[in-house]
Amino acid sequence: MTRAIELLKNSFGVSQLYQHDVKKDNKIIFTVYWHPLTISERESIQKKSMSEDANEFALQLMIEKALDKDGGRLFQDGDKASLRREVEAVILQEIQLAMIEAGQTKEVSEAKADLKS
């Protein structure tokens, strides 16, 4: 019988790669890639954001996790101020929402069924 930890790592582990296309006028400007957020990463991002503000957390999440197709970081910590002041909030929120919601399409009943198999 497969152990639960192995099922979780295989089905929901950090080796998964999500992506989101950033578009303007239905043309893809670039694609953002990221691996799932872990508890450890969430704690680290919360400490770096130094605030209970959800917007700060989401922005720091995007800066930390956004990757290009080759696995390189799209943003650096120094980009935070520029992103806050010079980019439309709706675009940043679109990327952040995609990152936060990634992997949540599976219903609890489906996840439980996977564990039984």
Side-chain angles (χ1 to χ4, degrees):
M1 176 181 252
T2 306
R3 294 183 54 212
I5 185 67
E6 295 305 320
L7 289 170
L8 287 170
K9 288 190 317 189
N10 290 337
S11 297
F12 307 103
V14 294
S15 63
Q16 296 179 87
L17 189 64
Y18 298 108
Q19 72 179 63
H20 174 75
D21 293 329
V22 178
K23 298 178 182 179
K24 182 172 183 170
D25 301 325
N26 287 328
K27 181 181 177 189
I28 297 173
I29 305 300
F30 67 97
T31 301
V32 178
Y33 299 87
W34 67 94
H35 295 284
L37 180 67
T38 66
I39 291 173
S40 177
E41 289 172 324
R42 183 174 58 213
E43 291 169 351
S44 174
I45 290 168
Q46 284 172 331
K47 286 179 186 175
K48 283 184 178 182
S49 66
M50 296 183 287
S51 170
E52 295 296 318
D53 181 28
N55 290 323
E56 267 309 299
F57 175 83
L59 183 59
Q60 191 66 42
L61 169 71
M62 185 185 80
I63 290 168
E64 293 279 326
K65 299 287 289 176
L67 305 171
D68 63 21
K69 66 180 179 176
D70 299 319
R73 283 183 66 184
L74 285 176
F75 305 106
Q76 302 306 313
D77 292 333
D79 295 335
K80 190 174 191 177
S82 182
L83 287 166
R84 291 176 62 89
R85 287 191 318 262
E86 301 171 20
V87 180
E88 290 181 40
V90 70
I91 298 302
L92 298 178
Q93 290 167 345
E94 177 186 308
I95 297 167
Q96 295 160 359
L97 191 59
M99 294 176 97
I100 290 168
E101 291 182 342
Q104 294 183 8
T105 56
K106 196 172 246 192
E107 297 291 327
V108 173
S109 58
E110 291 177 74
K112 285 181 183 177
D114 285 351
L115 286 174
K116 291 179 183 176
S117 59

